[in-house]
Amino acid sequence: MKKILFICNSDSTHAMSWVNLLKKTNFEVRVFAVSFSNSNNRFLPNWEFPTYVMEAPKNRSRIKNELFVYFLSKILPSSILKIIIQRYKLRERWLKNIIKNWKPDIIHSFPLNIGGKVAASTLKSIEKDLWPSWVASSWGSDIFLGIEGEKKEKDNIKYILENCDGFF
């Protein structure tokens, strides 16, 4: 059975559409939720896929499968936790560990400025011959960050487009 790891937001209908496409296939699907768009780690109704999150969601009622949590307790406020996660690249370290241990055949990151950024940052720390196949997706407007955005965003999108194996 092939393994695919989606690197995206868990509160995105776009993400759920992609993941649902593989529901009745021979893929083992997992999701690495990257966004702090909501400190409650929102999940769409009937989220059915094993998912990695940085902090425990307050409401797990929508999650119908395994949840792998990096920070189990709510010792720190989300705003402080977000700073610690970004400063020490904890998200990237954990994702690197997941890629090395679970060994997905494919990673699919989206959008470019969220999932793509985390995937790129993580993969830079892994020898290229050990990378899984990498598919990146744009949601449309995020590609303009590579044209009109800050230099850091442009460089990130350029890196993604030059190094991914497939692009939607």
Side-chain angles (χ1 to χ4, degrees), residues 38-73:
N38 181 323
S39 61
N40 294 332
N41 281 331
R42 296 183 312 170
F43 287 85
L44 294 171
N46 302 316
W47 189 258
E48 299 179 22
F49 313 97
T51 303
Y52 301 92
V53 295
M54 290 305 295
E55 63 178 309
K58 292 177 183 171
N59 181 357
R60 292 182 182 219
S61 65
R62 294 179 170 206
I63 304 164
K64 308 297 182 206
N65 211 312
E66 291 177 276
L67 187 66
F68 305 97
V69 183
Y70 192 85
F71 287 101
L72 291 173
S73 63

Side-chain angles (χ1 to χ4, degrees), residues 17-36:
S17 294
W18 269 108
V19 176
N20 278 334
L21 283 173
L22 298 177
K23 224 182 208 176
K24 294 178 182 172
T25 66
N26 289 331
F27 278 96
E28 182 180 348
V29 177
R30 291 191 183 179
V31 176
F32 186 89
V34 296
S35 182
F36 278 90

Side-chain angles (χ1 to χ4, degrees), residues 3-8 95 99 104-128 130-138 155-168:
K3 298 177 183 178
I4 185 166
L5 178 65
F6 286 91
I7 304 169
C8 57
L95 180 55
I99 290 170
D105 298 292
I106 301 168
I107 59 171
H108 185 173
S109 62
F110 52 89
L112 296 174
N113 61 322
I114 298 173
K117 184 187 288 186
V118 173
S121 179
T122 301
L123 290 172
K124 285 177 185 177
S125 69
I126 300 173
E127 291 179 46
K128 195 153 186 168
L130 299 176
W131 287 16
S133 296
W134 179 19
V135 177
S137 290
S138 169
D155 291 345
N156 182 60
I157 290 173
K158 182 179 178 186
Y159 180 86
I160 293 168
L161 295 176
E162 288 174 347
N163 289 281
C164 71
D165 298 300
F167 178 73
F168 289 103

